[in-house]
Coordinates of all heavy atoms in Angstrom, one line a residue:
P648 N 72.0 165.4 77.8 CA 72.2 166.2 79.0 C 73.0 167.5 78.7 O 73.9 167.5 77.8 CB 73.0 165.3 79.9 CG 73.7 164.3 79.0 CD 72.7 164.1 77.9
W649 N 72.6 168.6 79.3 CA 73.4 169.8 79.2 C 74.2 170.0 80.5 O 73.8 169.7 81.6 CB 72.4 171.0 79.2 CG 71.7 171.2 77.9 CD1 70.5 170.7 77.6 CD2 72.1 171.9 76.7 NE1 70.1 171.1 76.3 CE2 71.1 171.8 75.7 CE3 73.3 172.7 76.4 CZ2 71.1 172.4 74.5 CZ3 73.3 173.3 75.1 CH2 72.3 173.1 74.2
K650 N 75.5 170.4 80.4 CA 76.3 170.7 81.5 C 76.3 172.1 81.9 O 76.3 173.0 81.0 CB 77.8 170.2 81.2 CG 78.0 168.8 81.0 CD 79.4 168.4 80.8 CE 79.7 166.9 80.6 NZ 81.1 166.6 80.4
V651 N 76.3 172.4 83.2 CA 76.4 173.8 83.6 C 77.8 174.4 83.1 O 78.8 173.7 83.2 CB 76.2 174.0 85.1 CG1 74.8 173.6 85.5 CG2 77.2 173.2 85.9
S652 N 77.8 175.7 82.8 CA 79.0 176.3 82.4 C 79.0 177.7 83.0 O 78.2 178.1 83.8 CB 79.0 176.5 80.8 OG 80.3 177.0 80.4
Q653 N 80.0 178.5 82.7 CA 80.2 179.8 83.3 C 79.3 180.8 82.8 O 78.7 180.7 81.7 CB 81.7 180.2 83.2 CG 82.7 179.2 83.7 CD 84.0 179.9 84.1 OE1 84.0 180.7 85.0 NE2 85.0 179.6 83.4
S654 N 79.1 181.9 83.6 CA 78.3 183.1 83.2 C 76.9 182.7 82.7 O 76.3 183.3 81.8 CB 79.0 183.8 82.0 OG 80.3 184.3 82.5
G655 N 76.3 181.7 83.4 CA 74.9 181.4 83.1 C 74.6 180.6 81.9 O 73.5 180.4 81.5
R656 N 75.7 180.0 81.3 CA 75.5 179.2 80.1 C 75.4 177.7 80.5 O 75.8 177.3 81.5 CB 76.6 179.4 79.1 CG 76.8 180.8 78.7 CD 77.9 180.9 77.6 NE 79.2 180.3 78.0 CZ 80.1 180.9 78.7 NH1 80.0 182.1 79.1 NH2 81.3 180.2 79.0
R657 N 74.8 176.9 79.5 CA 74.9 175.5 79.6 C 75.6 175.1 78.3 O 75.5 175.8 77.3 CB 73.5 174.8 79.7 CG 72.8 175.3 81.0 CD 71.5 174.4 81.1 NE 70.6 174.5 80.0 CZ 69.6 173.7 79.8 NH1 69.3 172.8 80.7 NH2 68.8 173.8 78.7
K658 N 76.2 173.9 78.3 CA 76.9 173.5 77.1 C 76.8 172.0 76.8 O 76.6 171.2 77.7 CB 78.4 173.9 77.2 CG 79.2 173.1 78.3 CD 80.6 173.6 78.4 CE 81.4 172.8 79.5 NZ 82.8 173.2 79.5
Q659 N 77.1 171.7 75.6 CA 77.3 170.3 75.1 C 78.5 170.3 74.2 O 78.5 171.1 73.2 CB 76.1 169.8 74.3 CG 74.8 169.6 75.2 CD 73.6 169.3 74.3 OE1 73.6 169.5 73.1 NE2 72.6 168.7 75.0
D660 N 79.5 169.5 74.5 CA 80.7 169.4 73.7 C 80.8 168.1 72.9 O 80.6 167.1 73.4 CB 82.0 169.5 74.6 CG 82.1 170.9 75.2 OD1 81.9 171.9 74.4 OD2 82.5 171.1 76.4
Y661 N 81.1 168.3 71.6 CA 81.4 167.2 70.8 C 82.8 167.4 70.2 O 83.0 168.1 69.2 CB 80.4 167.1 69.6 CG 79.0 166.8 70.0 CD1 78.2 167.9 70.4 CD2 78.4 165.6 70.0 CE1 76.8 167.7 70.7 CE2 77.1 165.3 70.3 CZ 76.3 166.4 70.7 OH 75.0 166.2 71.1
G662 N 83.8 166.8 70.8 CA 85.2 167.0 70.4 C 86.2 166.4 71.3 O 85.8 165.8 72.4
P663 N 87.4 166.4 71.0 CA 88.5 165.8 71.9 C 88.6 166.7 73.2 O 88.2 167.8 73.2 CB 89.7 165.9 71.1 CG 89.5 167.1 70.2 CD 88.0 167.1 69.8
K664 N 89.0 166.0 74.3 CA 89.3 166.7 75.5 C 90.7 167.4 75.3 O 91.6 166.8 75.0 CB 89.3 165.8 76.7 CG 88.0 165.2 77.0 CD 88.0 164.3 78.2 CE 86.6 163.8 78.6 NZ 86.6 163.0 79.8
V665 N 90.7 168.7 75.6 CA 91.9 169.5 75.3 C 92.4 170.3 76.5 O 91.6 170.9 77.2 CB 91.6 170.5 74.1 CG1 92.8 171.2 73.7 CG2 91.0 169.8 72.9
N666 N 93.7 170.3 76.7 CA 94.3 171.1 77.7 C 95.1 172.2 76.9 O 96.2 171.9 76.4 CB 95.2 170.3 78.6 CG 95.8 171.2 79.7 OD1 96.2 172.4 79.5 ND2 96.0 170.6 80.9
F667 N 94.5 173.3 76.7 CA 95.1 174.3 75.8 C 96.4 174.9 76.4 O 97.3 175.3 75.7 CB 94.1 175.5 75.5 CG 93.0 175.0 74.7 CD1 91.7 174.8 75.2 CD2 93.1 174.8 73.3 CE1 90.6 174.4 74.4 CE2 92.1 174.4 72.5 CZ 90.8 174.2 73.1
R668 N 96.4 175.0 77.7 CA 97.6 175.6 78.4 C 98.9 174.7 78.1 O 100.0 175.1 77.8 CB 97.4 175.7 79.9 CG 98.6 176.4 80.6 CD 98.2 176.7 82.1 NE 97.9 175.5 82.8 CZ 98.8 174.7 83.3 NH1 100.1 175.0 83.3 NH2 98.4 173.6 84.0
K669 N 98.7 173.3 78.3 CA 99.8 172.4 78.0 C 99.8 171.9 76.6 O 100.8 171.2 76.2 CB 99.6 171.2 78.9 CG 99.7 171.5 80.4 CD 99.5 170.2 81.3 CE 99.7 170.5 82.8 NZ 99.5 169.3 83.6
Q670 N 98.9 172.3 75.8 CA 98.8 171.9 74.4 C 98.8 170.4 74.2 O 99.6 169.8 73.5 CB 99.9 172.6 73.6 CG 99.8 174.1 73.5 CD 100.7 174.7 72.4 OE1 101.6 174.1 72.0 NE2 100.4 176.0 72.1
K671 N 97.9 169.8 74.9 CA 97.7 168.3 74.8 C 96.2 168.0 74.6 O 95.3 168.8 75.1 CB 98.2 167.7 76.1 CG 99.7 167.8 76.3 CD 100.1 167.0 77.6 CE 101.6 167.1 77.8 NZ 102.1 166.4 79.0
L672 N 95.9 166.9 74.0 CA 94.5 166.5 73.8 C 94.4 165.0 73.8 O 95.4 164.2 73.6 CB 94.0 167.0 72.5 CG 94.6 166.6 71.1 CD1 94.0 165.3 70.7 CD2 94.4 167.7 70.1
K673 N 93.2 164.5 74.1 CA 92.9 163.1 74.2 C 91.6 162.8 73.3 O 90.7 163.6 73.4 CB 92.6 162.7 75.6 CG 93.8 162.8 76.6 CD 93.4 162.4 78.0 CE 94.6 162.6 79.0 NZ 94.2 162.1 80.4
T674 N 91.7 161.8 72.6 CA 90.6 161.4 71.7 C 89.6 160.4 72.4 O 88.5 160.2 71.9 CB 91.1 160.8 70.4 OG1 91.8 159.6 70.7 CG2 91.9 161.7 69.6
A675 N 90.0 159.9 73.6 CA 89.2 158.9 74.2 C 87.8 159.4 74.5 O 87.7 160.5 75.1 CB 89.9 158.5 75.5
G676 N 86.8 158.7 74.1 CA 85.4 159.1 74.4 C 84.8 159.9 73.3 O 83.6 160.1 73.2
F677 N 85.6 160.5 72.4 CA 85.1 161.3 71.3 C 84.6 160.4 70.2 O 85.4 159.6 69.6 CB 86.2 162.2 70.8 CG 85.8 163.1 69.6 CD1 84.6 163.6 69.5 CD2 86.8 163.4 68.6 CE1 84.2 164.4 68.4 CE2 86.4 164.2 67.5 CZ 85.1 164.7 67.4
Q678 N 83.4 160.5 69.9 CA 82.7 159.6 68.9 C 82.3 160.4 67.6 O 81.7 159.8 66.7 CB 81.5 158.9 69.5 CG 81.9 158.0 70.6 CD 80.7 157.3 71.3 OE1 79.7 158.0 71.5 NE2 80.8 156.1 71.6
G679 N 82.6 161.7 67.6 CA 82.2 162.4 66.4 C 81.2 163.5 66.6 O 80.6 163.6 67.8
L680 N 80.9 164.3 65.6 CA 79.8 165.2 65.7 C 78.4 164.5 65.8 O 78.3 163.3 65.3 CB 79.8 166.2 64.5 CG 81.1 167.0 64.2 CD1 80.8 168.0 63.1 CD2 81.6 167.6 65.4
P681 N 77.4 165.2 66.2 CA 76.1 164.5 66.3 C 75.5 164.3 64.9 O 75.8 165.0 64.0 CB 75.2 165.5 67.1 CG 75.9 166.8 66.9 CD 77.3 166.5 66.8
S682 N 74.6 163.3 64.8 CA 74.1 162.9 63.5 C 73.3 164.0 62.9 O 73.3 164.2 61.6 CB 73.2 161.7 63.6 OG 72.1 161.9 64.6
F683 N 72.6 164.9 63.7 CA 71.8 166.0 63.1 C 72.6 167.1 62.5 O 72.1 168.0 61.8 CB 70.8 166.5 64.2 CG 71.5 167.2 65.4 CD1 72.0 168.4 65.3 CD2 71.6 166.5 66.6 CE1 72.6 169.0 66.4 CE2 72.1 167.0 67.7 CZ 72.7 168.3 67.6
S684 N 74.0 167.0 62.7 CA 74.8 168.1 62.1 C 75.3 167.7 60.7 O 75.9 168.5 60.0 CB 76.0 168.4 63.0 OG 75.6 169.0 64.2
R685 N 75.0 166.5 60.2 CA 75.5 166.0 58.9 C 75.0 166.9 57.8 O 75.8 167.4 57.0 CB 75.1 164.6 58.7 CG 75.7 164.0 57.4 CD 75.1 162.6 57.1 NE 75.4 161.7 58.1 CZ 76.5 160.9 58.0 NH1 77.4 161.0 57.0 NH2 76.8 160.0 59.0

């Protein structure tokens, strides 16, 4: 699935969930980069 994003883009994220303003991150749910990127 692609998620809708701003300015007409769609996105797929592979990474930790990050709050840049508070400088905090969570690893829950992050399973790594996709296999085709190896």
Side-chain angles (χ1 to χ4, degrees):
W649 289 92
K650 293 183 179 179
V651 294
S652 186
Q653 302 205 66
S654 301
R656 304 184 305 276
R657 301 188 304 168
K658 66 179 181 179
Q659 294 174 338
D660 287 319
Y661 296 84
K664 292 185 177 180
V665 185
N666 185 321
F667 291 106
R668 184 175 60 84
K669 296 182 179 180
Q670 293 193 345
K671 294 182 178 180
L672 63 85
K673 297 179 180 179
T674 59
F677 178 37
Q678 298 176 316
L680 303 189
S682 59
F683 60 79
S684 293
R685 185 187 296 271

